[in-house]
Amino acid sequence: MSDRTVDVWIRVTSQPQVDAAGPEHAGLPADGLDEHERRPRRGFTDPRDAAAYLDLHLLARSEIGRVLRQPPESLRFDRTCPDCGRQHGAPRLLDDPDLHVSLSRSRRVVALAVSRVGPLGIDVEHCAGTAFDGFAAVALHPDERRHAPGSLAATIAWVRKEASLKALRVGLRVDATTFAAPVPGVAARVVVGLPSVTVADVAAPPGYAAAVAVRSTSGDLDVVGH
Ligand SMILES: CC(C)(COP(=O)(O)OP(=O)(O)OC[C@H]1O[C@@H](n2cnc3c(N)ncnc32)[C@H](O)[C@@H]1OP(=O)(O)O)[C@@H](O)C(=O)NCCC(=O)NCCS
């Protein structure tokens, strides 16, 4: 990876591979997963969501392991939530904290981003996810409210914003209507008092939008899709 590289993986997940019995039941390498990654056994009612969740974490271990030349199952993550201390916050790679990681999932599409540029966030969203009355009022800045709910434009604005808030580690604790989506390649301070972020759009399957954001004062990111 070059100094300005952000590596991204977008995948459409396969058919459900897990059921209520959990990953071991499907012969998946559950021993290589930590407790958080096995959560679909308890956290999802729809097995397709559980399968996508598991696929995403397996993808993350596999690709990060390849980058670090370490066995995927040896990787250790800290996900301490700054609000409550539980292990459900942004992942931090204990084996190499300067390699920043972000994950996202929407329906059957999963997204992974990895970079040494700085803390980053990736977000993927199905357009149907923004197709509800009141979306603009809860998600868009007044300058963005021309975008119809469910449109690709509204969904692109949303993923740029959520990726930015993930890069800042605040997530949706910050009201997304307080700022407009950053223009790709232009560093922007979206939250007063926090660092600037630079966003880039990421190619996504039809009906989806994806974006990645990195804490950075410079716009020259080199986004590499895999
Ligand atoms: C981060 C957040 C925007 C993700 O929402 P989402 O659209 O439902 O989910 P995505 O699939 O895009 O991303 C989920 C991933 O974001 C990451 N994540 C979680 N919290 C994060 C944060 N504060 N900043 C950046 N990334 C975060 C995790 O890797 C998570 O993956 P997991 O499901 O394996 O835990 C949302 O969870 C949030 O705003 N969290 C912070 C506020 C909060 O709820 N705090 C908990 C108080 S106890």
Side-chain angles (χ1 to χ4, degrees), residues 36 39 53 57 81 83-84 88-91 103-105 123 162 166 169 171-173:
H36 175 86
R39 198 179 59 179
Y53 179 90
H57 287 285
C81 169
D83 292 329
C84 70
H88 63 190
L103 311 176
S104 183
R105 181 175 59 80
D123 193 52
E162 191 173 319
K166 289 172 85 171
R169 299 294 181 260
L172 299 177
R173 286 192 301 268

mmCIF file with all atom_site columns, all heavy atoms in Angstrom, residues 36 39 53 57 81 83-84 88-91 103-105 123 162 166 169 171-173, ligand 1:
data_model
loop_
_atom_site.group_PDB
_atom_site.id
_atom_site.type_symbol
_atom_site.label_atom_id
_atom_site.label_alt_id
_atom_site.label_comp_id
_atom_site.label_asym_id
_atom_site.label_entity_id
_atom_site.label_seq_id
_atom_site.pdbx_PDB_ins_code
_atom_site.Cartn_x
_atom_site.Cartn_y
_atom_site.Cartn_z
_atom_site.occupancy
_atom_site.B_iso_or_equiv
_atom_site.pdbx_formal_charge
_atom_site.auth_seq_id
_atom_site.auth_comp_id
_atom_site.auth_asym_id
_atom_site.auth_atom_id
_atom_site.pdbx_PDB_model_num
ATOM   1   N N   . HIS A 1 36  ? -17.351 -11.343 19.411 1.00 0.00 ? 36  HIS A N   1
ATOM   2   C CA  . HIS A 1 36  ? -18.161 -10.344 18.707 1.00 0.00 ? 36  HIS A CA  1
ATOM   3   C C   . HIS A 1 36  ? -18.576 -10.852 17.325 1.00 0.00 ? 36  HIS A C   1
ATOM   4   O O   . HIS A 1 36  ? -19.716 -10.684 16.897 1.00 0.00 ? 36  HIS A O   1
ATOM   5   C CB  . HIS A 1 36  ? -17.359 -9.051  18.563 1.00 0.00 ? 36  HIS A CB  1
ATOM   6   C CG  . HIS A 1 36  ? -18.045 -8.005  17.752 1.00 0.00 ? 36  HIS A CG  1
ATOM   7   N ND1 . HIS A 1 36  ? -18.939 -7.131  18.303 1.00 0.00 ? 36  HIS A ND1 1
ATOM   8   C CD2 . HIS A 1 36  ? -17.984 -7.708  16.427 1.00 0.00 ? 36  HIS A CD2 1
ATOM   9   C CE1 . HIS A 1 36  ? -19.394 -6.320  17.351 1.00 0.00 ? 36  HIS A CE1 1
ATOM   10  N NE2 . HIS A 1 36  ? -18.832 -6.648  16.207 1.00 0.00 ? 36  HIS A NE2 1
ATOM   11  N N   . ARG A 1 39  ? -21.514 -13.173 16.981 1.00 0.00 ? 39  ARG A N   1
ATOM   12  C CA  . ARG A 1 39  ? -22.762 -12.641 17.489 1.00 0.00 ? 39  ARG A CA  1
ATOM   13  C C   . ARG A 1 39  ? -24.004 -13.038 16.692 1.00 0.00 ? 39  ARG A C   1
ATOM   14  O O   . ARG A 1 39  ? -25.090 -13.095 17.258 1.00 0.00 ? 39  ARG A O   1
ATOM   15  C CB  . ARG A 1 39  ? -22.662 -11.123 17.583 1.00 0.00 ? 39  ARG A CB  1
ATOM   16  C CG  . ARG A 1 39  ? -23.695 -10.501 18.460 1.00 0.00 ? 39  ARG A CG  1
ATOM   17  C CD  . ARG A 1 39  ? -23.521 -9.002  18.525 1.00 0.00 ? 39  ARG A CD  1
ATOM   18  N NE  . ARG A 1 39  ? -23.613 -8.373  17.221 1.00 0.00 ? 39  ARG A NE  1
ATOM   19  C CZ  . ARG A 1 39  ? -23.522 -7.074  17.016 1.00 0.00 ? 39  ARG A CZ  1
ATOM   20  N NH1 . ARG A 1 39  ? -23.291 -6.273  18.021 1.00 0.00 ? 39  ARG A NH1 1
ATOM   21  N NH2 . ARG A 1 39  ? -23.635 -6.550  15.818 1.00 0.00 ? 39  ARG A NH2 1
ATOM   22  N N   . TYR A 1 53  ? -23.387 -10.777 7.852  1.00 0.00 ? 53  TYR A N   1
ATOM   23  C CA  . TYR A 1 53  ? -22.544 -10.343 8.974  1.00 0.00 ? 53  TYR A CA  1
ATOM   24  C C   . TYR A 1 53  ? -21.309 -11.243 9.079  1.00 0.00 ? 53  TYR A C   1
ATOM   25  O O   . TYR A 1 53  ? -20.176 -10.769 9.195  1.00 0.00 ? 53  TYR A O   1
ATOM   26  C CB  . TYR A 1 53  ? -23.377 -10.405 10.254 1.00 0.00 ? 53  TYR A CB  1
ATOM   27  C CG  . TYR A 1 53  ? -22.652 -10.006 11.499 1.00 0.00 ? 53  TYR A CG  1
ATOM   28  C CD1 . TYR A 1 53  ? -22.652 -8.681  11.930 1.00 0.00 ? 53  TYR A CD1 1
ATOM   29  C CD2 . TYR A 1 53  ? -21.974 -10.943 12.268 1.00 0.00 ? 53  TYR A CD2 1
ATOM   30  C CE1 . TYR A 1 53  ? -21.985 -8.305  13.084 1.00 0.00 ? 53  TYR A CE1 1
ATOM   31  C CE2 . TYR A 1 53  ? -21.309 -10.581 13.413 1.00 0.00 ? 53  TYR A CE2 1
ATOM   32  C CZ  . TYR A 1 53  ? -21.316 -9.267  13.823 1.00 0.00 ? 53  TYR A CZ  1
ATOM   33  O OH  . TYR A 1 53  ? -20.657 -8.904  14.958 1.00 0.00 ? 53  TYR A OH  1
ATOM   34  N N   . HIS A 1 57  ? -17.146 -10.378 8.375  1.00 0.00 ? 57  HIS A N   1
ATOM   35  C CA  . HIS A 1 57  ? -16.046 -10.558 9.325  1.00 0.00 ? 57  HIS A CA  1
ATOM   36  C C   . HIS A 1 57  ? -15.020 -11.560 8.816  1.00 0.00 ? 57  HIS A C   1
ATOM   37  O O   . HIS A 1 57  ? -13.811 -11.401 9.064  1.00 0.00 ? 57  HIS A O   1
ATOM   38  C CB  . HIS A 1 57  ? -16.606 -10.918 10.696 1.00 0.00 ? 57  HIS A CB  1
ATOM   39  C CG  . HIS A 1 57  ? -17.244 -9.735  11.368 1.00 0.00 ? 57  HIS A CG  1
ATOM   40  N ND1 . HIS A 1 57  ? -16.516 -8.722  11.918 1.00 0.00 ? 57  HIS A ND1 1
ATOM   41  C CD2 . HIS A 1 57  ? -18.543 -9.377  11.512 1.00 0.00 ? 57  HIS A CD2 1
ATOM   42  C CE1 . HIS A 1 57  ? -17.331 -7.789  12.395 1.00 0.00 ? 57  HIS A CE1 1
ATOM   43  N NE2 . HIS A 1 57  ? -18.563 -8.160  12.162 1.00 0.00 ? 57  HIS A NE2 1
ATOM   44  N N   . CYS A 1 81  ? -16.603 0.387   23.095 1.00 0.00 ? 81  CYS A N   1
ATOM   45  C CA  . CYS A 1 81  ? -17.535 1.489   22.821 1.00 0.00 ? 81  CYS A CA  1
ATOM   46  C C   . CYS A 1 81  ? -17.206 2.633   23.777 1.00 0.00 ? 81  CYS A C   1
ATOM   47  O O   . CYS A 1 81  ? -17.171 2.427   24.999 1.00 0.00 ? 81  CYS A O   1
ATOM   48  C CB  . CYS A 1 81  ? -18.969 1.010   23.030 1.00 0.00 ? 81  CYS A CB  1
ATOM   49  S SG  . CYS A 1 81  ? -20.182 2.354   23.026 1.00 0.00 ? 81  CYS A SG  1
ATOM   50  N N   . ASP A 1 83  ? -18.998 4.948   24.703 1.00 0.00 ? 83  ASP A N   1
ATOM   51  C CA  . ASP A 1 83  ? -20.160 5.321   25.515 1.00 0.00 ? 83  ASP A CA  1
ATOM   52  C C   . ASP A 1 83  ? -20.373 4.380   26.695 1.00 0.00 ? 83  ASP A C   1
ATOM   53  O O   . ASP A 1 83  ? -20.649 4.816   27.807 1.00 0.00 ? 83  ASP A O   1
ATOM   54  C CB  . ASP A 1 83  ? -21.432 5.319   24.653 1.00 0.00 ? 83  ASP A CB  1
ATOM   55  C CG  . ASP A 1 83  ? -21.418 6.424   23.625 1.00 0.00 ? 83  ASP A CG  1
ATOM   56  O OD1 . ASP A 1 83  ? -20.817 7.477   23.926 1.00 0.00 ? 83  ASP A OD1 1
ATOM   57  O OD2 . ASP A 1 83  ? -21.984 6.246   22.538 1.00 0.00 ? 83  ASP A OD2 1
ATOM   58  N N   . CYS A 1 84  ? -20.284 3.068   26.412 1.00 0.00 ? 84  CYS A N   1
ATOM   59  C CA  . CYS A 1 84  ? -20.679 2.123   27.465 1.00 0.00 ? 84  CYS A CA  1
ATOM   60  C C   . CYS A 1 84  ? -19.588 1.108   27.805 1.00 0.00 ? 84  CYS A C   1
ATOM   61  O O   . CYS A 1 84  ? -19.761 0.324   28.738 1.00 0.00 ? 84  CYS A O   1
ATOM   62  C CB  . CYS A 1 84  ? -21.947 1.378   27.055 1.00 0.00 ? 84  CYS A CB  1
ATOM   63  S SG  . CYS A 1 84  ? -21.686 0.206   25.716 1.00 0.00 ? 84  CYS A SG  1
ATOM   64  N N   . HIS A 1 88  ? -18.663 -3.247  21.138 1.00 0.00 ? 88  HIS A N   1
ATOM   65  C CA  . HIS A 1 88  ? -19.472 -3.120  19.919 1.00 0.00 ? 88  HIS A CA  1
ATOM   66  C C   . HIS A 1 88  ? -19.175 -1.808  19.177 1.00 0.00 ? 88  HIS A C   1
ATOM   67  O O   . HIS A 1 88  ? -19.985 -1.368  18.368 1.00 0.00 ? 88  HIS A O   1
ATOM   68  C CB  . HIS A 1 88  ? -20.970 -3.267  20.231 1.00 0.00 ? 88  HIS A CB  1
ATOM   69  C CG  . HIS A 1 88  ? -21.503 -2.194  21.148 1.00 0.00 ? 88  HIS A CG  1
ATOM   70  N ND1 . HIS A 1 88  ? -22.753 -2.252  21.702 1.00 0.00 ? 88  HIS A ND1 1
ATOM   71  C CD2 . HIS A 1 88  ? -20.954 -1.055  21.606 1.00 0.00 ? 88  HIS A CD2 1
ATOM   72  C CE1 . HIS A 1 88  ? -22.945 -1.191  22.462 1.00 0.00 ? 88  HIS A CE1 1
ATOM   73  N NE2 . HIS A 1 88  ? -21.864 -0.440  22.410 1.00 0.00 ? 88  HIS A NE2 1
ATOM   74  N N   . GLY A 1 89  ? -18.031 -1.199  19.451 1.00 0.00 ? 89  GLY A N   1
ATOM   75  C CA  . GLY A 1 89  ? -17.679 0.057   18.781 1.00 0.00 ? 89  GLY A CA  1
ATOM   76  C C   . GLY A 1 89  ? -16.846 -0.178  17.541 1.00 0.00 ? 89  GLY A C   1
ATOM   77  O O   . GLY A 1 89  ? -16.789 -1.291  17.009 1.00 0.00 ? 89  GLY A O   1
ATOM   78  N N   . ALA A 1 90  ? -16.205 0.875   17.063 1.00 0.00 ? 90  ALA A N   1
ATOM   79  C CA  . ALA A 1 90  ? -15.350 0.763   15.876 1.00 0.00 ? 90  ALA A CA  1
ATOM   80  C C   . ALA A 1 90  ? -14.195 -0.192  16.159 1.00 0.00 ? 90  ALA A C   1
ATOM   81  O O   . ALA A 1 90  ? -13.625 -0.158  17.247 1.00 0.00 ? 90  ALA A O   1
ATOM   82  C CB  . ALA A 1 90  ? -14.807 2.147   15.518 1.00 0.00 ? 90  ALA A CB  1
ATOM   83  N N   . PRO A 1 91  ? -13.848 -1.042  15.183 1.00 0.00 ? 91  PRO A N   1
ATOM   84  C CA  . PRO A 1 91  ? -12.764 -2.002  15.434 1.00 0.00 ? 91  PRO A CA  1
ATOM   85  C C   . PRO A 1 91  ? -11.389 -1.329  15.365 1.00 0.00 ? 91  PRO A C   1
ATOM   86  O O   . PRO A 1 91  ? -11.142 -0.504  14.497 1.00 0.00 ? 91  PRO A O   1
ATOM   87  C CB  . PRO A 1 91  ? -12.919 -3.009  14.294 1.00 0.00 ? 91  PRO A CB  1
ATOM   88  C CG  . PRO A 1 91  ? -13.631 -2.270  13.214 1.00 0.00 ? 91  PRO A CG  1
ATOM   89  C CD  . PRO A 1 91  ? -14.461 -1.211  13.876 1.00 0.00 ? 91  PRO A CD  1
ATOM   90  N N   . LEU A 1 103 ? -15.855 -1.326  8.670  1.00 0.00 ? 103 LEU A N   1
ATOM   91  C CA  . LEU A 1 103 ? -16.765 -2.328  8.105  1.00 0.00 ? 103 LEU A CA  1
ATOM   92  C C   . LEU A 1 103 ? -18.154 -1.734  7.948  1.00 0.00 ? 103 LEU A C   1
ATOM   93  O O   . LEU A 1 103 ? -18.570 -0.888  8.740  1.00 0.00 ? 103 LEU A O   1
ATOM   94  C CB  . LEU A 1 103 ? -16.903 -3.532  9.046  1.00 0.00 ? 103 LEU A CB  1
ATOM   95  C CG  . LEU A 1 103 ? -15.656 -4.190  9.619  1.00 0.00 ? 103 LEU A CG  1
ATOM   96  C CD1 . LEU A 1 103 ? -16.059 -5.287  10.600 1.00 0.00 ? 103 LEU A CD1 1
ATOM   97  C CD2 . LEU A 1 103 ? -14.817 -4.774  8.511  1.00 0.00 ? 103 LEU A CD2 1
ATOM   98  N N   . SER A 1 104 ? -18.892 -2.216  6.933  1.00 0.00 ? 104 SER A N   1
ATOM   99  C CA  . SER A 1 104 ? -20.291 -1.815  6.783  1.00 0.00 ? 104 SER A CA  1
ATOM   100 C C   . SER A 1 104 ? -21.054 -2.924  6.076  1.00 0.00 ? 104 SER A C   1
ATOM   101 O O   . SER A 1 104 ? -20.478 -3.745  5.365  1.00 0.00 ? 104 SER A O   1
ATOM   102 C CB  . SER A 1 104 ? -20.395 -0.514  5.984  1.00 0.00 ? 104 SER A CB  1
ATOM   103 O OG  . SER A 1 104 ? -21.741 -0.086  5.889  1.00 0.00 ? 104 SER A OG  1
ATOM   104 N N   . ARG A 1 105 ? -22.361 -2.895  6.253  1.00 0.00 ? 105 ARG A N   1
ATOM   105 C CA  . ARG A 1 105 ? -23.208 -3.962  5.710  1.00 0.00 ? 105 ARG A CA  1
ATOM   106 C C   . ARG A 1 105 ? -24.579 -3.371  5.453  1.00 0.00 ? 105 ARG A C   1
ATOM   107 O O   . ARG A 1 105 ? -25.119 -2.610  6.273  1.00 0.00 ? 105 ARG A O   1
ATOM   108 C CB  . ARG A 1 105 ? -23.289 -5.076  6.766  1.00 0.00 ? 105 ARG A CB  1
ATOM   109 C CG  . ARG A 1 105 ? -24.066 -6.278  6.450  1.00 0.00 ? 105 ARG A CG  1
ATOM   110 C CD  . ARG A 1 105 ? -23.906 -7.288  7.586  1.00 0.00 ? 105 ARG A CD  1
ATOM   111 N NE  . ARG A 1 105 ? -24.349 -6.731  8.853  1.00 0.00 ? 105 ARG A NE  1
ATOM   112 C CZ  . ARG A 1 105 ? -25.623 -6.646  9.225  1.00 0.00 ? 105 ARG A CZ  1
ATOM   113 N NH1 . ARG A 1 105 ? -26.583 -7.120  8.459  1.00 0.00 ? 105 ARG A NH1 1
ATOM   114 N NH2 . ARG A 1 105 ? -25.942 -6.110  10.391 1.00 0.00 ? 105 ARG A NH2 1
ATOM   115 N N   . ASP A 1 123 ? -19.146 3.196   4.391  1.00 0.00 ? 123 ASP A N   1
ATOM   116 C CA  . ASP A 1 123 ? -20.579 2.941   4.538  1.00 0.00 ? 123 ASP A CA  1
ATOM   117 C C   . ASP A 1 123 ? -21.150 2.492   3.210  1.00 0.00 ? 123 ASP A C   1
ATOM   118 O O   . ASP A 1 123 ? -20.811 3.045   2.156  1.00 0.00 ? 123 ASP A O   1
ATOM   119 C CB  . ASP A 1 123 ? -21.309 4.195   5.026  1.00 0.00 ? 123 ASP A CB  1
ATOM   120 C CG  . ASP A 1 123 ? -22.723 3.840   5.493  1.00 0.00 ? 123 ASP A CG  1
ATOM   121 O OD1 . ASP A 1 123 ? -22.846 2.913   6.326  1.00 0.00 ? 123 ASP A OD1 1
ATOM   122 O OD2 . ASP A 1 123 ? -23.684 4.452   5.031  1.00 0.00 ? 123 ASP A OD2 1
ATOM   123 N N   . GLU A 1 162 ? -22.455 9.279   6.575  1.00 0.00 ? 162 GLU A N   1
ATOM   124 C CA  . GLU A 1 162 ? -22.238 8.253   7.608  1.00 0.00 ? 162 GLU A CA  1
ATOM   125 C C   . GLU A 1 162 ? -20.781 7.788   7.605  1.00 0.00 ? 162 GLU A C   1
ATOM   126 O O   . GLU A 1 162 ? -20.201 7.556   8.679  1.00 0.00 ? 162 GLU A O   1
ATOM   127 C CB  . GLU A 1 162 ? -23.183 7.061   7.412  1.00 0.00 ? 162 GLU A CB  1
ATOM   128 C CG  . GLU A 1 162 ? -23.128 6.143   8.627  1.00 0.00 ? 162 GLU A CG  1
ATOM   129 C CD  . GLU A 1 162 ? -24.150 5.020   8.620  1.00 0.00 ? 162 GLU A CD  1
ATOM   130 O OE1 . GLU A 1 162 ? -25.309 5.259   8.239  1.00 0.00 ? 162 GLU A OE1 1
ATOM   131 O OE2 . GLU A 1 162 ? -23.774 3.909   8.997  1.00 0.00 ? 162 GLU A OE2 1
ATOM   132 N N   . LYS A 1 166 ? -18.344 7.915   10.806 1.00 0.00 ? 166 LYS A N   1
ATOM   133 C CA  . LYS A 1 166 ? -17.632 6.725   11.261 1.00 0.00 ? 166 LYS A CA  1
ATOM   134 C C   . LYS A 1 166 ? -16.129 6.997   11.341 1.00 0.00 ? 166 LYS A C   1
ATOM   135 O O   . LYS A 1 166 ? -15.451 6.544   12.270 1.00 0.00 ? 166 LYS A O   1
ATOM   136 C CB  . LYS A 1 166 ? -17.936 5.525   10.350 1.00 0.00 ? 166 LYS A CB  1
ATOM   137 C CG  . LYS A 1 166 ? -19.367 5.016   10.544 1.00 0.00 ? 166 LYS A CG  1
ATOM   138 C CD  . LYS A 1 166 ? -19.753 3.982   9.527  1.00 0.00 ? 166 LYS A CD  1
ATOM   139 C CE  . LYS A 1 166 ? -19.325 2.584   9.906  1.00 0.00 ? 166 LYS A CE  1
ATOM   140 N NZ  . LYS A 1 166 ? -19.927 1.571   8.977  1.00 0.00 ? 166 LYS A NZ  1
ATOM   141 N N   . ARG A 1 169 ? -15.436 8.493   14.433 1.00 0.00 ? 169 ARG A N   1
ATOM   142 C CA  . ARG A 1 169 ? -15.767 7.589   15.540 1.00 0.00 ? 169 ARG A CA  1
ATOM   143 C C   . ARG A 1 169 ? -16.972 8.043   16.364 1.00 0.00 ? 169 ARG A C   1
ATOM   144 O O   . ARG A 1 169 ? -17.256 7.446   17.396 1.00 0.00 ? 169 ARG A O   1
ATOM   145 C CB  . ARG A 1 169 ? -14.557 7.379   16.486 1.00 0.00 ? 169 ARG A CB  1
ATOM   146 C CG  . ARG A 1 169 ? -13.364 6.750   15.791 1.00 0.00 ? 169 ARG A CG  1
ATOM   147 C CD  . ARG A 1 169 ? -13.684 5.320   15.366 1.00 0.00 ? 169 ARG A CD  1
ATOM   148 N NE  . ARG A 1 169 ? -12.566 4.676   14.709 1.00 0.00 ? 169 ARG A NE  1
ATOM   149 C CZ  . ARG A 1 169 ? -12.447 4.539   13.374 1.00 0.00 ? 169 ARG A CZ  1
ATOM   150 N NH1 . ARG A 1 169 ? -13.390 5.005   12.556 1.00 0.00 ? 169 ARG A NH1 1
ATOM   151 N NH2 . ARG A 1 169 ? -11.411 3.922   12.854 1.00 0.00 ? 169 ARG A NH2 1
ATOM   152 N N   . GLY A 1 171 ? -20.105 8.354   14.943 1.00 0.00 ? 171 GLY A N   1
ATOM   153 C CA  . GLY A 1 171 ? -21.298 7.716   14.409 1.00 0.00 ? 171 GLY A CA  1
ATOM   154 C C   . GLY A 1 171 ? -22.493 8.657   14.461 1.00 0.00 ? 171 GLY A C   1
ATOM   155 O O   . GLY A 1 171 ? -22.354 9.888   14.402 1.00 0.00 ? 171 GLY A O   1
ATOM   156 N N   . LEU A 1 172 ? -23.645 8.076   14.612 1.00 0.00 ? 172 LEU A N   1
ATOM   157 C CA  . LEU A 1 172 ? -24.882 8.855   14.538 1.00 0.00 ? 172 LEU A CA  1
ATOM   158 C C   . LEU A 1 172 ? -25.215 9.559   15.857 1.00 0.00 ? 172 LEU A C   1
ATOM   159 O O   . LEU A 1 172 ? -26.312 10.095  16.012 1.00 0.00 ? 172 LEU A O   1
ATOM   160 C CB  . LEU A 1 172 ? -26.030 7.958   14.076 1.00 0.00 ? 172 LEU A CB  1
ATOM   161 C CG  . LEU A 1 172 ? -25.782 7.361   12.683 1.00 0.00 ? 172 LEU A CG  1
ATOM   162 C CD1 . LEU A 1 172 ? -26.918 6.421   12.293 1.00 0.00 ? 172 LEU A CD1 1
ATOM   163 C CD2 . LEU A 1 172 ? -25.603 8.458   11.637 1.00 0.00 ? 172 LEU A CD2 1
ATOM   164 N N   . ARG A 1 173 ? -24.240 9.598   16.782 1.00 0.00 ? 173 ARG A N   1
ATOM   165 C CA  . ARG A 1 173 ? -24.422 10.492  17.935 1.00 0.00 ? 173 ARG A CA  1
ATOM   166 C C   . ARG A 1 173 ? -24.441 11.944  17.476 1.00 0.00 ? 173 ARG A C   1
ATOM   167 O O   . ARG A 1 173 ? -24.967 12.802  18.165 1.00 0.00 ? 173 ARG A O   1
ATOM   168 C CB  . ARG A 1 173 ? -23.304 10.287  18.961 1.00 0.00 ? 173 ARG A CB  1
ATOM   169 C CG  . ARG A 1 173 ? -23.444 8.997   19.749 1.00 0.00 ? 173 ARG A CG  1
ATOM   170 C CD  . ARG A 1 173 ? -22.480 9.007   20.926 1.00 0.00 ? 173 ARG A CD  1
ATOM   171 N NE  . ARG A 1 173 ? -21.099 9.145   20.493 1.00 0.00 ? 173 ARG A NE  1
ATOM   172 C CZ  . ARG A 1 173 ? -20.299 8.129   20.238 1.00 0.00 ? 173 ARG A CZ  1
ATOM   173 N NH1 . ARG A 1 173 ? -20.742 6.922   20.374 1.00 0.00 ? 173 ARG A NH1 1
ATOM   174 N NH2 . ARG A 1 173 ? -19.057 8.331   19.855 1.00 0.00 ? 173 ARG A NH2 1
HETATM 175 C C1  . LIG B 2 .   ? -21.477 3.425   13.610 1.00 0.00 ? 1   LIG B C1  1
HETATM 176 C C2  . LIG B 2 .   ? -22.930 3.413   13.135 1.00 0.00 ? 1   LIG B C2  1
HETATM 177 C C3  . LIG B 2 .   ? -23.190 4.695   12.368 1.00 0.00 ? 1   LIG B C3  1
HETATM 178 C C4  . LIG B 2 .   ? -23.097 2.179   12.217 1.00 0.00 ? 1   LIG B C4  1
HETATM 179 O O1  . LIG B 2 .   ? -24.433 2.041   11.846 1.00 0.00 ? 1   LIG B O1  1
HETATM 180 P P1  . LIG B 2 .   ? -25.053 1.029   10.762 1.00 0.00 ? 1   LIG B P1  1
HETATM 181 O O2  . LIG B 2 .   ? -25.364 1.782   9.501  1.00 0.00 ? 1   LIG B O2  1
HETATM 182 O O3  . LIG B 2 .   ? -26.172 0.346   11.404 1.00 0.00 ? 1   LIG B O3  1
HETATM 183 O O4  . LIG B 2 .   ? -23.993 -0.075  10.476 1.00 0.00 ? 1   LIG B O4  1
HETATM 184 P P2  . LIG B 2 .   ? -22.838 -0.358  9.401  1.00 0.00 ? 1   LIG B P2  1
HETATM 185 O O5  . LIG B 2 .   ? -23.060 -1.729  8.908  1.00 0.00 ? 1   LIG B O5  1
HETATM 186 O O6  . LIG B 2 .   ? -22.657 0.707   8.394  1.00 0.00 ? 1   LIG B O6  1
HETATM 187 O O7  . LIG B 2 .   ? -21.535 -0.326  10.325 1.00 0.00 ? 1   LIG B O7  1
HETATM 188 C C5  . LIG B 2 .   ? -21.419 -1.204  11.416 1.00 0.00 ? 1   LIG B C5  1
HETATM 189 C C6  . LIG B 2 .   ? -19.987 -1.239  11.856 1.00 0.00 ? 1   LIG B C6  1
HETATM 190 O O8  . LIG B 2 .   ? -19.563 0.084   12.232 1.00 0.00 ? 1   LIG B O8  1
HETATM 191 C C7  . LIG B 2 .   ? -18.520 -0.050  13.187 1.00 0.00 ? 1   LIG B C7  1
HETATM 192 N N1  . LIG B 2 .   ? -18.781 0.899   14.257 1.00 0.00 ? 1   LIG B N1  1
HETATM 193 C C8  . LIG B 2 .   ? -19.525 0.763   15.384 1.00 0.00 ? 1   LIG B C8  1
HETATM 194 N N2  . LIG B 2 .   ? -19.498 1.902   16.101 1.00 0.00 ? 1   LIG B N2  1
HETATM 195 C C9  . LIG B 2 .   ? -18.728 2.768   15.415 1.00 0.00 ? 1   LIG B C9  1
HETATM 196 C C10 . LIG B 2 .   ? -18.320 4.110   15.646 1.00 0.00 ? 1   LIG B C10 1
HETATM 197 N N3  . LIG B 2 .   ? -18.697 4.805   16.746 1.00 0.00 ? 1   LIG B N3  1
HETATM 198 N N4  . LIG B 2 .   ? -17.522 4.715   14.738 1.00 0.00 ? 1   LIG B N4  1
HETATM 199 C C11 . LIG B 2 .   ? -17.118 4.054   13.630 1.00 0.00 ? 1   LIG B C11 1
HETATM 200 N N5  . LIG B 2 .   ? -17.484 2.773   13.354 1.00 0.00 ? 1   LIG B N5  1
HETATM 201 C C12 . LIG B 2 .   ? -18.276 2.145   14.241 1.00 0.00 ? 1   LIG B C12 1
HETATM 202 C C13 . LIG B 2 .   ? -18.474 -1.504  13.644 1.00 0.00 ? 1   LIG B C13 1
HETATM 203 O O9  . LIG B 2 .   ? -17.397 -2.113  12.979 1.00 0.00 ? 1   LIG B O9  1
HETATM 204 C C14 . LIG B 2 .   ? -19.778 -2.062  13.107 1.00 0.00 ? 1   LIG B C14 1
HETATM 205 O O10 . LIG B 2 .   ? -19.634 -3.419  12.763 1.00 0.00 ? 1   LIG B O10 1
HETATM 206 P P3  . LIG B 2 .   ? -20.239 -4.568  13.731 1.00 0.00 ? 1   LIG B P3  1
HETATM 207 O O11 . LIG B 2 .   ? -21.657 -4.726  13.280 1.00 0.00 ? 1   LIG B O11 1
HETATM 208 O O12 . LIG B 2 .   ? -19.407 -5.749  13.485 1.00 0.00 ? 1   LIG B O12 1
HETATM 209 O O13 . LIG B 2 .   ? -20.135 -4.062  15.149 1.00 0.00 ? 1   LIG B O13 1
HETATM 210 C C15 . LIG B 2 .   ? -23.913 3.336   14.334 1.00 0.00 ? 1   LIG B C15 1
HETATM 211 O O14 . LIG B 2 .   ? -23.816 2.068   14.931 1.00 0.00 ? 1   LIG B O14 1
HETATM 212 C C16 . LIG B 2 .   ? -23.601 4.405   15.397 1.00 0.00 ? 1   LIG B C16 1
HETATM 213 O O15 . LIG B 2 .   ? -23.904 5.556   15.202 1.00 0.00 ? 1   LIG B O15 1
HETATM 214 N N6  . LIG B 2 .   ? -22.933 4.032   16.502 1.00 0.00 ? 1   LIG B N6  1
HETATM 215 C C17 . LIG B 2 .   ? -22.485 5.006   17.507 1.00 0.00 ? 1   LIG B C17 1
HETATM 216 C C18 . LIG B 2 .   ? -23.590 5.435   18.457 1.00 0.00 ? 1   LIG B C18 1
HETATM 217 C C19 . LIG B 2 .   ? -24.064 4.327   19.318 1.00 0.00 ? 1   LIG B C19 1
HETATM 218 O O16 . LIG B 2 .   ? -25.021 3.679   18.991 1.00 0.00 ? 1   LIG B O16 1
HETATM 219 N N7  . LIG B 2 .   ? -23.376 4.071   20.406 1.00 0.00 ? 1   LIG B N7  1
HETATM 220 C C20 . LIG B 2 .   ? -23.743 3.005   21.299 1.00 0.00 ? 1   LIG B C20 1
HETATM 221 C C21 . LIG B 2 .   ? -24.080 3.563   22.623 1.00 0.00 ? 1   LIG B C21 1
HETATM 222 S S1  . LIG B 2 .   ? -23.994 2.273   23.849 1.00 0.00 ? 1   LIG B S1  1
#
